[in-house]
Amino acid sequence: DAATYDGSMWKEIYYAKQLDSTNLEAKRVLLEGRGAEPGAVVCEQQFSGRGRRGRGWVSPLGAGLWMTLVLRPNLEPMKASMLTLVAGLAVSRAVEELYEIPATIKWPNDIVVHGKKLCGILTEMTTEEMRMTGIVVGIGVNTGITDFGEELREKATSLALEVAKPDEVDRLMVFRAVLRQFQSCYEQFMQTKDLSLLIDDYNARCITVGHRVRVEEGASAFEAWAQAVDAQGELLVRLEDGTSRTVCAGEVSVRGV
Ligand code: BTN
């Protein structure tokens, strides 16, 4: 009953105890025409969780909320990546609605609490005969008490590690809040097919804005000041020589300096 709030747009929730990846399952649902959209896939454990840039995503049992939104929007494929920012804003709002912790956004789409990553988002498309037929938005929120291991300990966090009362972290509640907040952001996004109605709140939550960033574009890299995110989801930066340009999320990786 996660999606049964008043006015819910969600037509189908697919739950599984275990999956390779909710993103992979969501793409199979679309390609096989198995369900009704908009929908969501959610599971307890992923044994092949996927991250951005071909990386994996550690997704053990009880450690997090592993979910993917299954959408068939009437949208140009060029605009699909904007849904990543829509989802980031929705998760930030959902976390702040439920818990007294600041859930900031690292452009384009990491949710960061006290400098550590709480949530990652991976948006993918399905294509059939060269046409985009659907979009899946994968959201991984760390919720439990997990030992992330040496490599991630300094970089990752979870709701249970951040809130005052870890016992009160309830994955179903987080799931429901994310679905509700996403719907509200998504409806505003689809009105204009860009982020113009959402971008002020996005910028207010975005820790990248106002900071120095290092932009890595393939083999070359440069440093700049991040000024704002625009309604297309691009990051506006000012370079050393005073000129400005935009940086597009798909092409670059931005690290705080
Ligand atoms: C990132 O690299 O920051 C993105 C991580 C995305 C992880 C989520 S968990 C649910 C969904 N299923 C996946 O396989 N990946 C996404």
mmCIF file of all heavy atoms in Angstrom, residues 167-190:
data_model
loop_
_atom_site.group_PDB
_atom_site.id
_atom_site.type_symbol
_atom_site.label_atom_id
_atom_site.label_comp_id
_atom_site.label_asym_id
_atom_site.label_seq_id
_atom_site.Cartn_x
_atom_site.Cartn_y
_atom_site.Cartn_z
ATOM 1 N N ASP A 167 16.462 3.594 15.443
ATOM 2 C CA ASP A 167 15.370 2.603 15.439
ATOM 3 C C ASP A 167 14.171 3.090 14.652
ATOM 4 O O ASP A 167 13.339 2.305 14.209
ATOM 5 C CB ASP A 167 14.875 2.335 16.869
ATOM 6 C CG ASP A 167 15.951 1.683 17.700
ATOM 7 O OD1 ASP A 167 16.971 1.278 17.102
ATOM 8 O OD2 ASP A 167 15.770 1.605 18.931
ATOM 9 N N GLU A 168 14.061 4.405 14.535
ATOM 10 C CA GLU A 168 12.872 4.956 13.894
ATOM 11 C C GLU A 168 13.003 5.086 12.382
ATOM 12 O O GLU A 168 12.087 5.555 11.715
ATOM 13 C CB GLU A 168 12.512 6.301 14.529
ATOM 14 C CG GLU A 168 11.975 6.089 15.930
ATOM 15 C CD GLU A 168 11.683 7.370 16.672
ATOM 16 O OE1 GLU A 168 11.711 8.451 16.067
ATOM 17 O OE2 GLU A 168 11.442 7.259 17.890
ATOM 18 N N VAL A 169 14.151 4.674 11.852
ATOM 19 C CA VAL A 169 14.299 4.725 10.390
ATOM 20 C C VAL A 169 13.510 3.566 9.788
ATOM 21 O O VAL A 169 13.745 2.408 10.107
ATOM 22 C CB VAL A 169 15.780 4.648 9.967
ATOM 23 C CG1 VAL A 169 15.897 4.547 8.456
ATOM 24 C CG2 VAL A 169 16.532 5.865 10.482
ATOM 25 N N ASP A 170 12.546 3.929 8.948
ATOM 26 C CA ASP A 170 11.620 2.937 8.432
ATOM 27 C C ASP A 170 11.672 3.020 6.902
ATOM 28 O O ASP A 170 11.283 4.014 6.309
ATOM 29 C CB ASP A 170 10.227 3.316 8.980
ATOM 30 C CG ASP A 170 9.126 2.435 8.436
ATOM 31 O OD1 ASP A 170 9.352 1.742 7.412
ATOM 32 O OD2 ASP A 170 8.028 2.452 9.022
ATOM 33 N N ARG A 171 12.149 1.938 6.297
ATOM 34 C CA ARG A 171 12.338 1.967 4.843
ATOM 35 C C ARG A 171 11.048 2.186 4.077
ATOM 36 O O ARG A 171 11.019 2.860 3.062
ATOM 37 C CB ARG A 171 12.995 0.662 4.367
ATOM 38 C CG ARG A 171 14.489 0.813 4.162
ATOM 39 C CD ARG A 171 15.088 -0.458 3.662
ATOM 40 N NE ARG A 171 14.764 -1.527 4.600
ATOM 41 C CZ ARG A 171 14.936 -2.817 4.338
ATOM 42 N NH1 ARG A 171 15.432 -3.187 3.182
ATOM 43 N NH2 ARG A 171 14.629 -3.725 5.235
ATOM 44 N N LEU A 172 9.971 1.583 4.556
ATOM 45 C CA LEU A 172 8.688 1.724 3.862
ATOM 46 C C LEU A 172 8.227 3.189 3.881
ATOM 47 O O LEU A 172 7.711 3.716 2.898
ATOM 48 C CB LEU A 172 7.628 0.814 4.491
ATOM 49 C CG LEU A 172 6.259 0.844 3.812
ATOM 50 C CD1 LEU A 172 6.352 0.405 2.356
ATOM 51 C CD2 LEU A 172 5.264 -0.037 4.579
ATOM 52 N N MET A 173 8.484 3.836 5.021
ATOM 53 C CA MET A 173 8.125 5.248 5.131
ATOM 54 C C MET A 173 8.948 6.102 4.165
ATOM 55 O O MET A 173 8.423 7.027 3.538
ATOM 56 C CB MET A 173 8.392 5.717 6.564
ATOM 57 C CG MET A 173 7.265 6.448 7.177
ATOM 58 S SD MET A 173 7.434 6.455 8.976
ATOM 59 C CE MET A 173 8.685 7.712 9.195
ATOM 60 N N VAL A 174 10.213 5.771 4.031
ATOM 61 C CA VAL A 174 11.073 6.516 3.108
ATOM 62 C C VAL A 174 10.606 6.271 1.668
ATOM 63 O O VAL A 174 10.494 7.203 0.869
ATOM 64 C CB VAL A 174 12.563 6.118 3.276
ATOM 65 C CG1 VAL A 174 13.445 6.919 2.316
ATOM 66 C CG2 VAL A 174 13.029 6.320 4.717
ATOM 67 N N PHE A 175 10.305 5.027 1.356
ATOM 68 C CA PHE A 175 9.819 4.658 0.021
ATOM 69 C C PHE A 175 8.581 5.483 -0.342
ATOM 70 O O PHE A 175 8.482 6.101 -1.397
ATOM 71 C CB PHE A 175 9.522 3.158 0.000
ATOM 72 C CG PHE A 175 9.041 2.617 -1.315
ATOM 73 C CD1 PHE A 175 9.764 2.805 -2.490
ATOM 74 C CD2 PHE A 175 7.859 1.883 -1.390
ATOM 75 C CE1 PHE A 175 9.317 2.285 -3.705
ATOM 76 C CE2 PHE A 175 7.412 1.354 -2.602
ATOM 77 C CZ PHE A 175 8.147 1.561 -3.759
ATOM 78 N N ARG A 176 7.634 5.498 0.597
ATOM 79 C CA ARG A 176 6.378 6.205 0.365
ATOM 80 C C ARG A 176 6.633 7.705 0.172
ATOM 81 O O ARG A 176 6.071 8.333 -0.724
ATOM 82 C CB ARG A 176 5.489 5.970 1.588
ATOM 83 C CG ARG A 176 4.075 6.350 1.418
ATOM 84 C CD ARG A 176 3.270 5.988 2.658
ATOM 85 N NE ARG A 176 2.938 4.587 2.757
ATOM 86 C CZ ARG A 176 2.973 3.874 3.887
ATOM 87 N NH1 ARG A 176 3.396 4.427 5.014
ATOM 88 N NH2 ARG A 176 2.609 2.615 3.883
ATOM 89 N N ALA A 177 7.503 8.275 0.997
ATOM 90 C CA ALA A 177 7.786 9.718 0.898
ATOM 91 C C ALA A 177 8.485 10.042 -0.426
ATOM 92 O O ALA A 177 8.191 11.063 -1.053
ATOM 93 C CB ALA A 177 8.642 10.165 2.084
ATOM 94 N N VAL A 178 9.386 9.165 -0.878
ATOM 95 C CA VAL A 178 10.068 9.403 -2.152
ATOM 96 C C VAL A 178 9.059 9.343 -3.301
ATOM 97 O O VAL A 178 9.062 10.201 -4.192
ATOM 98 C CB VAL A 178 11.222 8.397 -2.380
ATOM 99 C CG1 VAL A 178 11.772 8.493 -3.806
ATOM 100 C CG2 VAL A 178 12.348 8.627 -1.367
ATOM 101 N N LEU A 179 8.159 8.366 -3.279
ATOM 102 C CA LEU A 179 7.148 8.264 -4.344
ATOM 103 C C LEU A 179 6.285 9.523 -4.388
ATOM 104 O O LEU A 179 6.014 10.076 -5.451
ATOM 105 C CB LEU A 179 6.245 7.044 -4.132
ATOM 106 C CG LEU A 179 6.861 5.660 -4.339
ATOM 107 C CD1 LEU A 179 5.818 4.577 -4.070
ATOM 108 C CD2 LEU A 179 7.421 5.498 -5.751
ATOM 109 N N ARG A 180 5.878 9.981 -3.217
ATOM 110 C CA ARG A 180 4.993 11.150 -3.162
ATOM 111 C C ARG A 180 5.731 12.416 -3.620
ATOM 112 O O ARG A 180 5.229 13.188 -4.429
ATOM 113 C CB ARG A 180 4.427 11.314 -1.753
ATOM 114 C CG ARG A 180 3.136 12.066 -1.726
ATOM 115 C CD ARG A 180 2.387 12.055 -0.396
ATOM 116 N NE ARG A 180 3.089 11.467 0.727
ATOM 117 C CZ ARG A 180 3.996 12.096 1.466
ATOM 118 N NH1 ARG A 180 4.344 13.353 1.174
ATOM 119 N NH2 ARG A 180 4.565 11.486 2.481
ATOM 120 N N GLN A 181 6.942 12.606 -3.099
ATOM 121 C CA GLN A 181 7.706 13.807 -3.479
ATOM 122 C C GLN A 181 8.095 13.756 -4.952
ATOM 123 O O GLN A 181 8.103 14.780 -5.630
ATOM 124 C CB GLN A 181 8.970 13.944 -2.609
ATOM 125 C CG GLN A 181 8.688 14.235 -1.147
ATOM 126 C CD GLN A 181 8.194 15.658 -0.895
ATOM 127 O OE1 GLN A 181 8.007 16.450 -1.815
ATOM 128 N NE2 GLN A 181 7.962 15.980 0.364
ATOM 129 N N PHE A 182 8.421 12.570 -5.456
ATOM 130 C CA PHE A 182 8.782 12.482 -6.870
ATOM 131 C C PHE A 182 7.581 12.866 -7.729
ATOM 132 O O PHE A 182 7.713 13.604 -8.699
ATOM 133 C CB PHE A 182 9.306 11.098 -7.263
ATOM 134 C CG PHE A 182 9.714 11.035 -8.717
ATOM 135 C CD1 PHE A 182 10.993 11.423 -9.115
ATOM 136 C CD2 PHE A 182 8.811 10.655 -9.704
ATOM 137 C CE1 PHE A 182 11.360 11.424 -10.464
ATOM 138 C CE2 PHE A 182 9.171 10.646 -11.051
ATOM 139 C CZ PHE A 182 10.447 11.027 -11.425
ATOM 140 N N GLN A 183 6.420 12.353 -7.382
ATOM 141 C CA GLN A 183 5.229 12.684 -8.179
ATOM 142 C C GLN A 183 5.026 14.194 -8.256
ATOM 143 O O GLN A 183 4.785 14.743 -9.335
ATOM 144 C CB GLN A 183 3.974 12.024 -7.589
ATOM 145 C CG GLN A 183 2.722 12.462 -8.342
ATOM 146 C CD GLN A 183 1.440 11.780 -7.904
ATOM 147 O OE1 GLN A 183 1.472 10.830 -7.112
ATOM 148 N NE2 GLN A 183 0.321 12.256 -8.406
ATOM 149 N N SER A 184 5.163 14.843 -7.120
ATOM 150 C CA SER A 184 4.924 16.285 -7.109
ATOM 151 C C SER A 184 5.965 17.023 -7.971
ATOM 152 O O SER A 184 5.616 17.917 -8.757
ATOM 153 C CB SER A 184 4.829 16.756 -5.658
ATOM 154 O OG SER A 184 5.572 17.899 -5.431
ATOM 155 N N CYS A 185 7.233 16.620 -7.878
ATOM 156 C CA CYS A 185 8.272 17.246 -8.718
ATOM 157 C C CYS A 185 8.074 16.907 -10.192
ATOM 158 O O CYS A 185 8.238 17.751 -11.075
ATOM 159 C CB CYS A 185 9.672 16.770 -8.286
ATOM 160 S SG CYS A 185 10.161 17.283 -6.636
ATOM 161 N N TYR A 186 7.717 15.651 -10.462
ATOM 162 C CA TYR A 186 7.566 15.158 -11.833
ATOM 163 C C TYR A 186 6.413 15.884 -12.540
ATOM 164 O O TYR A 186 6.516 16.262 -13.703
ATOM 165 C CB TYR A 186 7.306 13.660 -11.766
ATOM 166 C CG TYR A 186 7.164 12.938 -13.079
ATOM 167 C CD1 TYR A 186 8.248 12.797 -13.942
ATOM 168 C CD2 TYR A 186 5.953 12.341 -13.441
ATOM 169 C CE1 TYR A 186 8.112 12.092 -15.139
ATOM 170 C CE2 TYR A 186 5.814 11.632 -14.630
ATOM 171 C CZ TYR A 186 6.903 11.516 -15.476
ATOM 172 O OH TYR A 186 6.784 10.815 -16.651
ATOM 173 N N GLU A 187 5.329 16.112 -11.817
ATOM 174 C CA GLU A 187 4.192 16.802 -12.432
ATOM 175 C C GLU A 187 4.584 18.228 -12.818
ATOM 176 O O GLU A 187 4.209 18.711 -13.885
ATOM 177 C CB GLU A 187 2.981 16.777 -11.491
ATOM 178 C CG GLU A 187 2.333 15.395 -11.499
ATOM 179 C CD GLU A 187 1.234 15.197 -10.456
ATOM 180 O OE1 GLU A 187 1.046 16.076 -9.586
ATOM 181 O OE2 GLU A 187 0.578 14.139 -10.508
ATOM 182 N N GLN A 188 5.360 18.878 -11.965
ATOM 183 C CA GLN A 188 5.819 20.231 -12.304
ATOM 184 C C GLN A 188 6.801 20.194 -13.468
ATOM 185 O O GLN A 188 6.760 21.034 -14.358
ATOM 186 C CB GLN A 188 6.456 20.884 -11.084
ATOM 187 C CG GLN A 188 5.398 21.250 -10.055
ATOM 188 C CD GLN A 188 5.932 22.240 -9.057
ATOM 189 O OE1 GLN A 188 6.913 21.964 -8.364
ATOM 190 N NE2 GLN A 188 5.318 23.399 -8.977
ATOM 191 N N PHE A 189 7.677 19.197 -13.461
ATOM 192 C CA PHE A 189 8.638 19.043 -14.561
ATOM 193 C C PHE A 189 7.900 18.854 -15.892
ATOM 194 O O PHE A 189 8.228 19.477 -16.896
ATOM 195 C CB PHE A 189 9.553 17.846 -14.272
ATOM 196 C CG PHE A 189 10.435 17.467 -15.427
ATOM 197 C CD1 PHE A 189 11.554 18.219 -15.754
ATOM 198 C CD2 PHE A 189 10.140 16.350 -16.207
ATOM 199 C CE1 PHE A 189 12.367 17.869 -16.827
ATOM 200 C CE2 PHE A 189 10.940 15.998 -17.288
ATOM 201 C CZ PHE A 189 12.059 16.767 -17.599
ATOM 202 N N MET A 190 6.894 17.985 -15.915
ATOM 203 C CA MET A 190 6.205 17.663 -17.167
ATOM 204 C C MET A 190 5.358 18.829 -17.696
ATOM 205 O O MET A 190 5.044 18.877 -18.871
ATOM 206 C CB MET A 190 5.352 16.393 -17.012
ATOM 207 C CG MET A 190 6.164 15.100 -16.922
ATOM 208 S SD MET A 190 7.342 14.819 -18.285
ATOM 209 C CE MET A 190 6.222 14.375 -19.617
#
